[in-house]
Amino acid sequence: MARDRSPAELVGAAPEDPFEISFDGRTLTALPGQSVAAALWSAGILAWRTTRHGGRARGAFCGIGQCYDCLATINDRPNRRACLVPARPGDTITTQEGHGHAGLAV
Amino acid sequence: MVGAACAYYAARSGLHVTVIDRGPVAGGTTGAGEGNLLVSDKEPGPELDLALLSTRLWRTLSGALPPRIEYEAKGGLVVASGEAGMAALRDFAERQERAGVKTEEVTGDRLHDLEPHLAQGLAGGFHYPQDAQVQPALAAAHLLRAAGEQASGRARLRLRLGEKVTGVLKGANGEVRGVRTVSGDLHAPYVVNAAGTWGAEVARLADVHLPVLPRRGFVLVTEPLPRVVRRKVYAADYVADVASGSAALQTSAVVEGTPAGPVLIGASRERVGFDRTLSVEVLRRLAAQATRLFPMLADVRAIRTYAGFRPYLPDHLPAIGPDPRVPGLLHACGHEGAGIGLAPATGLIVAGILTGEELPLDIDPFRPDRFGGAR
């Protein structure tokens, strides 16, 4: 059925070997060329940030780098747009709480 | 903001007020500032007296206006890198104390109790507990709303936005009879020129000379952060920059946090007319100076910048009061970078003049005709 076909299948792509990344300590598999957001979605993960006020869940919205909703902490750096950052082997993604700079508070 | 304060105190005195703005509320200099309510950067003299009165009035207003104006009595901290700078600050603070400013010397080893992220090795500083901050655009809007709400009974407040004043109407004896705008004539016995940086243009419409000039400044805005800077923190050379009459670029770090999260980094001054062109050189200097004060900012991202034009008068004092050259014309402009802070005292004085009440201080140093020129 059409809905079982992935974009890779539709264009007859032959991706290189998958690699591992981690999200909040959980190991996931990503394909070369996938954005972090795409890799998270592929694993069924839709939210990786909480809002500054109210702590509401957020994930990818526009998917093209405009809305800044998909911010994540990637390799300890907060406020990275998951929809634009390509996934790399060994990346560590963690849910970003609010502004992601709690460590700086005085 | 100055216009909003004039409207607020005039309406409170029972006067009918019409506020005419060619743009939206806070669309000029007010919306492009940091919202500083400072006494720390002012030499003893008429401007400091105005600032001290305003500090008290802002405290009262903060109780009357909603918390959304983000009034914070956070205090200011002026730091010096070496002993020479510290000696200069000590002398300055001593003179301010005699004028009624509260100051507290902070030794180098105690600076981090006040501001944990400050750079190491600074000689010390002075803490000014009376310094405060508001969100200027929200403060102006809520002050206007409050002016309308209290204008019950006899008084009335009208707000006409997006309407440019194109002329000042005069009677047979040269006295003010109102203003002409793009939508028609509005008659009034008094006209207050609270056009900020564009005050010279409005003065010209009334055929008087008032040399208000734009003094450009940029503010650099960081990504949202937790509270990392508690007070308004700036380097000692800021005071000298504010007082300078030079047209050339001056920058001195002024760093402060906001309730919304971003840290605001100022302050640059240059007289380049109404040129809004982004200056990367200014931003680079602001960022470098701020990072020297707060090294942690080096790892923080700046997400945007904005520029504004301070209404500069050559002697750094505002023009407040009646213009003897045109009966019925009052000025309330030219507050340079201190307009948000000085607005309430200015508004109170203008309302006092309009209603013939006793004024809270001597306004002679602010007389609008002090620069001479036409008429």
Side-chain angles (χ1 to χ4, degrees):
Chain A
M1 275 168 52
R3 63 191 162 88
D4 293 330
R5 298 172 69 190
S6 70
E9 280 174 55
L10 283 168
V11 298
E16 288 166 34
D17 293 341
F19 52 84
E20 287 185 347
I21 60 172
S22 80
F23 173 70
D24 286 349
R26 194 179 139 189
T27 301
L28 313 174
T29 305
L31 290 171
Q34 261 185 331
S35 67
V36 167
L40 292 171
W41 268 17
S42 301
I45 297 162
L46 300 179
W48 48 84
R49 177 173 72 89
T50 58
T51 58
R52 283 188 285 148
H53 307 289
R56 292 181 298 274
R58 288 292 185 274
F61 178 65
C62 77
I64 53 173
Q66 297 299 301
C67 75
Y68 287 74
D69 235 16
C70 68
L71 301 177
T73 298
I74 301 176
N75 300 327
D76 294 326
R77 272 187 66 195
N79 292 322
R80 313 240 25 226
R81 281 172 285 178
C83 73
L84 293 188
V85 179
R88 307 265 183 233
D91 275 348
T92 306
I93 296 117
T94 42
T95 294
Q96 178 175 327
E97 310 284 346
H99 44 58
H101 284 293
L104 294 174
V106 294
Chain B
M1 176 62 84
V2 172
C6 290
Y8 177 84
Y9 289 101
R12 203 183 64 164
S13 304
L15 298 172
H16 291 243
V17 182
T18 302
V19 178
I20 305 175
D21 197 320
R22 69 170 180 190
V25 170
T29 298
T30 295
E34 294 172 300
N36 290 323
L37 319 178
L38 302 185
V39 294
S40 58
D41 63 340
K42 293 176 180 61
E43 290 253 16
E47 195 195 11
L48 180 58
D49 296 340
L50 204 59
L52 284 166
L53 171 59
S54 268
T55 296
R56 293 195 295 277
L57 294 171
W58 265 118
R59 206 174 300 131
T60 310
L61 286 174
S62 72
L65 301 176
R68 287 184 60 208
I69 69 164
E70 298 181 359
Y71 174 84
E72 286 189 291
K74 54 168 43 170
L77 180 66
V78 192
V79 298
S81 51
E83 273 314 316
M86 203 54 207
L89 277 186
R90 203 172 285 126
D91 173 63
F92 192 61
E94 232 168 71
R95 294 191 292 120
Q96 286 174 315
E97 278 273 356
R98 287 199 289 275
V101 177
K102 290 178 196 143
T103 73
E104 181 201 1
E105 180 164 348
V106 184
T107 51
D109 57 323
R110 273 201 51 232
L111 280 176
H112 292 93
D113 297 343
L114 274 70
E115 293 291 346
H117 284 299
L118 259 181
Q120 300 292 329
L122 292 164
F126 271 81
H127 177 225
Y128 290 82
Q130 290 155 308
D131 282 356
Q133 190 176 7
V134 290
Q135 206 288 10
L138 286 172
H142 283 286
L143 195 56
L144 278 174
R145 175 174 287 171
E149 281 166 0
Q150 70 173 2
S152 54
R154 287 189 308 121
R156 207 170 51 195
L157 184 110
R158 281 194 178 145
L159 194 54
R160 289 163 69 157
L161 302 176
E163 188 172 337
K164 190 178 178 178
V165 170
T166 56
V168 172
L169 307 174
K170 289 187 188 172
N173 300 317
E175 80 282 10
V176 155
R177 300 293 294 272
V179 292
R180 176 159 294 167
T181 78
V182 287
S183 9
D185 289 356
L186 182 77
H187 296 283
Y190 294 105
V191 170
V192 180
N193 171 17
T197 314
W198 297 268
E201 271 180 56
V202 174
R204 206 175 301 122
L205 294 177
D207 299 317
V208 292
H209 172 69
L210 186 64
V212 183
L213 292 168
R215 200 176 187 194
R216 185 172 74 176
F218 285 94
V219 175
L220 201 54
V221 185
T222 74
E223 60 186 311
L225 298 171
R227 195 38 79 99
V228 294
V229 182
R230 294 169 175 163
R231 291 166 187 77
K232 181 194 172 73
V233 182
Y234 61 93
D237 44 358
Y238 173 71
V239 178
D241 279 4
V242 171
S244 160
S246 168
L249 172 67
Q250 292 140 312
T251 59
S252 44
V254 179
V255 185
E256 58 209 312
T258 58
V263 168
L264 304 181
I265 298 168
S268 69
R269 301 181 136 70
E270 55 191 324
R271 279 199 284 112
V272 291
F274 286 104
D275 180 0
R276 285 204 173 271
T277 314
L278 180 78
S279 167
V280 177
E281 169 60 17
V282 172
L283 300 181
R284 191 179 293 127
R285 282 168 64 163
L286 290 179
Q289 289 174 327
T291 309
R292 274 205 291 281
L293 273 187
F294 289 98
M296 48 77 56
L297 289 176
D299 297 322
V300 163
R301 280 193 288 180
I303 56 169
R304 67 185 183 96
T305 176
Y306 57 90
F309 300 102
R310 304 175 184 88
Y312 166 93
L313 278 168
D315 60 1
H316 301 281
L317 291 178
I320 306 171
D323 193 319
R325 300 165 291 189
V326 181
L329 176 66
L330 285 81
H331 298 278
C333 59
H335 296 68
E336 205 173 324
I340 308 300
L342 302 179
T346 304
L348 189 69
I349 289 168
V350 165
I353 294 167
L354 295 174
T355 54
E357 282 163 31
E358 199 181 322
L359 301 183
L361 47 86
D362 175 23
I363 60 164
D364 191 59
F366 310 125
R367 34 178 224 290
D369 61 333
R370 64 188 189 271
F371 302 102
R375 287 230 241 149

